[in-house]
């Protein structure tokens, strides 16, 4: 990878390569933008196959955070820390303390928090070295997966907005939603949808997760390899990225794609393909922003009720974005990008 070419073309401010000999920490802190405020974005820990893969992940995630914060006019920019290691490897306290020292050296330009592969205990270790960290013990976000719950709440409101725009329905009574992935977010999303009267079709590669949704929400289980091509009003990807691609888009039998998964589109041009099929796409980084909205809110001193209310902006933001895309004859992704790029 030609790093300077990448960071110039993607508009990055700073990339910090971190190494701590004692703990064995190898990490990258990628700061995409601090124009609106300190760069916000969690810390991912993963045993990447290569250095290039690790750096590419850090860059993609950090830039995504800037866009996510910008669409919602948050006073924060985008960044991400990535540790190149298996979460199962030992020595966590020493590694995360070392990361904390590097973050402290950035003087508040970057604030870290939870992401895939990291725990509240890891953030507590970071906190021993710096105050520029969220999701530590005792914070609202560290309790009962509050971040996942608020992400799910935002996705639920985003589905309501999408259905209103595309199908003209006020509310979700009788609307069929196919949820792919019933983990921390998907399972909670099913709860909100069920309460609103939606009919649920669910799939997970983990049989227990699917059985739980069937029992708790009266959902109908669909085999995991068939959920993408199941007839429904809304397809809601809540498992992994890249699910919208040349192979899957022609098979979709839905009017709306609206889910929590990050990086749902294999490539940006897949937004055009969805539009050509008259399928309304709720851009992933807009509909799944509940977590970052409440992180910003808690940093600004909000209580739990205020944080929950702040997520409601997802519904109005998506409605405005859908209107803008229609008026300008562009994809919803292009509309989201334009909205974000105005802010930084
Ligand atoms: P999770 O790891 O708790 O759940 C993912 C679920 O998907 C698991 O139950 C897994 O068995 C299932 N799954 C994996 N492959 C599958 C397949 N091929 N078909 C069906 N199910 C499959 O993850 P979580 O936290 O629920 O996140 C879900 C998605 O939402 C991820 O893409 C994540 O990046 C994104 N996201 C999560 C946020 C959060 O607050 N947790 C915030 C924003 C985005």
């Amino acid at each position: 990878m030609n790093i300077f070419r990448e960071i110039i073309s993607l508009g990055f401010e700073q990339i910090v390569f971190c190494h701590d000999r004692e703990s064995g920490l190898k990490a990258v802190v990628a700061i995409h933008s601090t124009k609106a405020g300190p760069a916000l974005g969690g810390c991912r820990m993963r045993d990447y196959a290569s250095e290039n893969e690790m750096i590419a992940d850090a860059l993609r995630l950090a830039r995504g955070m800037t866009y996510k914060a910008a669409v919602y006019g948050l006073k924060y920019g985008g960044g991400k820390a990535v540790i190149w290691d298996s979460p199962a490897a030992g020595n966590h306290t020493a590694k995360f303390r070392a990361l904390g020292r590097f973050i402290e050296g950035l003087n508040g330009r970057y604030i870290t928090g939870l992401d895939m592969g990291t725990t509240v205990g890891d953030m507590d270790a970071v906190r021993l070295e710096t105050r520029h960290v969220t999701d530590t013990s005792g914070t609202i976000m560290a309790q009962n997966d509050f971040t996942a719950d608020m992400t799910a709440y935002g996705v639920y409101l985003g589905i309501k907005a999408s259905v209103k725009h595309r199908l003209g329905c006020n509310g979700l009574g009788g609307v069929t939603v196919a949820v792919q992935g019933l983990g921390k977010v998907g399972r909670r999303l099913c709860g909100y949808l069920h309460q609103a009267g939606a009919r649920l079709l669910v799939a997970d590669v983990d049989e227990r997760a699917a059985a739980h949704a069937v029992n708790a929400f009266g959902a109908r289980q669909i085999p995991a390899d068939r959920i993408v091509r199941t007839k429904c009003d809304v397809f809601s990807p809540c498992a992994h990225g890249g699910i919208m691609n040349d192979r899957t888009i022609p098979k979709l039998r839905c009017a709306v794609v609206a889910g929590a998964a990050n990086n749902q589109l294999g490539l940006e041009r897949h937004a055009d393909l969805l539009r050509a099929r008259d399928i309304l796409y709720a851009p992933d980084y807009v509909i799944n922003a509940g977590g970052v909205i409440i992180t910003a809110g808690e940093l600004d001193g909000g209580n739990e009720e205020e944080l929950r209310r702040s997520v409601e902006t997802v519904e109005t933001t998506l409605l405005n974005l859908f209107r803008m895309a229609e008026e300008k004859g562009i994809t919803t992704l292009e509309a989201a990008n334009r909205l974000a790029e105005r802010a930084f």
Side-chain angles (χ1 to χ4, degrees):
M1 178 188 289
N2 182 331
I3 292 184
F4 257 108
R5 196 178 54 205
E6 284 292 305
I7 68 175
I8 290 167
S9 74
L10 296 172
F12 269 80
E13 285 181 16
Q14 186 179 14
I15 313 287
V16 186
F17 288 83
C18 313
H19 171 239
D20 178 65
R21 197 200 304 244
E22 275 83 63
S23 62
L25 172 84
K26 275 188 289 184
V28 163
V29 178
I31 298 179
H32 180 255
S33 170
T34 57
K35 201 164 165 200
L40 208 58
C43 173
R44 179 167 288 194
M45 187 174 201
R46 194 168 155 195
D47 194 7
Y48 292 95
S50 69
E51 193 172 292
N52 271 356
E53 193 191 324
M54 173 213 195
I55 297 167
D57 206 28
L59 298 185
R60 185 178 54 90
L61 292 164
R63 185 164 178 262
M65 290 304 295
T66 302
Y67 277 72
K68 207 178 265 206
V71 159
Y72 287 98
L74 305 178
K75 296 183 308 196
Y76 293 90
K80 207 83 187 181
V82 169
I83 297 181
W84 188 4
D85 207 344
S86 162
N91 222 7
H92 269 220
T93 304
K95 284 174 192 159
F96 282 88
R97 285 192 75 153
L99 179 71
R101 288 192 292 278
F102 284 111
I103 291 172
E104 178 64 13
L106 291 167
N107 257 327
R109 283 172 50 73
Y110 167 66
I111 302 170
T112 199
L114 283 177
D115 196 85
M116 274 164 60
T118 56
T119 65
V120 172
D122 296 333
M123 295 308 117
D124 287 345
V126 172
R127 182 68 183 88
L128 295 172
E129 304 288 347
T130 181
R131 63 192 167 85
H132 304 300
V133 54
T134 62
D135 306 328
T136 52
S137 298
T139 58
I140 300 172
M141 282 168 311
Q143 290 160 25
N144 304 322
D145 275 331
F146 189 62
T147 308
D149 186 24
M150 287 303 97
T151 300
Y153 184 48
V155 173
Y156 153 69
L157 295 169
I159 289 177
K160 258 177 74 179
S162 307
V163 161
K164 183 170 186 180
H165 183 84
R166 178 65 175 75
L167 303 173
C169 302
N170 281 316
L172 293 176
V175 170
T176 305
V177 185
V179 181
Q180 178 191 44
L182 304 161
K184 294 186 289 296
V185 177
R187 138 168 52 100
R188 289 175 170 83
L189 172 63
C190 285
Y192 287 113
L193 293 170
H194 175 62
Q195 246 175 15
R199 295 205 328 237
L200 291 172
L201 308 175
V202 296
D204 198 294
V205 287
D206 176 350
E207 275 300 314
R208 280 169 313 171
H212 172 266
V214 169
N215 293 329
F217 312 120
R220 184 153 70 86
Q221 186 179 353
I222 306 289
D225 60 353
R226 289 227 325 258
I227 190 83
V228 174
R229 55 193 156 97
T230 297
K231 191 168 171 5
C232 57
D233 296 309
V234 180
F235 174 62
S236 185
C238 296
H240 49 76
I243 187 70
M244 291 296 115
N245 53 50
D246 292 331
R247 196 174 45 80
T248 55
I249 294 174
K251 292 184 185 150
L252 289 170
R253 291 199 290 158
C254 60
V256 169
V257 171
N262 275 316
N263 304 311
Q264 288 169 33
L265 303 177
L267 297 165
E268 292 213 345
R269 70 172 173 77
H270 290 125
D272 299 293
L273 222 54
L274 285 167
R275 182 162 175 260
R277 285 214 52 206
D278 199 21
I279 294 171
L280 180 68
Y281 169 59
D284 47 11
Y285 72 82
V286 182
I287 192 169
N288 74 11
V292 74
I293 293 170
I294 60 158
T295 302
E298 190 172 23
L299 283 167
D300 296 341
N303 63 34
E304 192 169 328
E305 194 39 50
E306 287 163 344
L307 298 185
R308 181 175 286 274
R309 241 181 292 126
S310 66
V311 175
E312 285 163 14
T313 177
V314 172
E315 189 170 355
T316 44
T317 302
L318 274 171
L319 282 170
N320 289 336
L321 194 144
F322 293 150
R323 247 178 262 127
M324 174 181 163
E326 211 164 74
E327 279 165 22
K328 298 200 180 305
I330 55 178
T331 67
T332 52
L333 177 68
E334 179 61 25
N337 290 347
R338 285 190 195 177
L339 214 62
E341 283 161 6
R342 246 187 245 160
F344 67 89

